Amino acid sequence: MPVQRYDIYFSGKIIEDADLTTVKQKIAKLFNAGDAQLDYLFSGVSVKIKNNIDQDTGIKYRVAFRDAGA
């Protein structure tokens, strides 16, 4: 049976009551992203973060984004 693979997208949304500046700082640290990359990530357009990953890796990304407030 083939293993399912996944793509990770981010639409720039943050968790309710989270501070946008703080979330951006945490995401910047996670991805070593500069201002231009952060502007793109938080532009409201769905951005592909990672492609063709396994479920365990996908869960790790989801938890990292959630812990950052995104």
Side-chain angles (χ1 to χ4, degrees):
M1 178 179 217
V3 175
Q4 279 207 302
R5 307 300 287 180
Y6 302 91
D7 296 339
I8 301 289
Y9 289 86
F10 179 60
S11 63
K13 294 181 181 177
I14 64 171
I15 294 173
E16 188 176 331
D17 296 328
D19 177 63
L20 180 60
T21 302
T22 303
V23 174
K24 282 185 173 183
Q25 289 170 347
K26 290 178 180 180
I27 295 295
K29 187 175 180 180
L30 279 174
F31 292 101
N32 198 25
D35 290 338
Q37 291 169 312
L38 285 175
D39 288 342
Y40 182 57
L41 286 173
F42 287 89
S43 67
V45 176
S46 288
V47 177
K48 188 184 285 188
I49 302 297
K50 208 68 165 158
N51 65 325
N52 197 31
I53 60 173
D54 60 37
Q55 185 176 12
D56 290 339
T57 303
I59 290 169
K60 289 177 185 176
Y61 272 90
R62 183 177 177 173
V63 168
F65 273 90
R66 184 200 62 212
D67 289 349

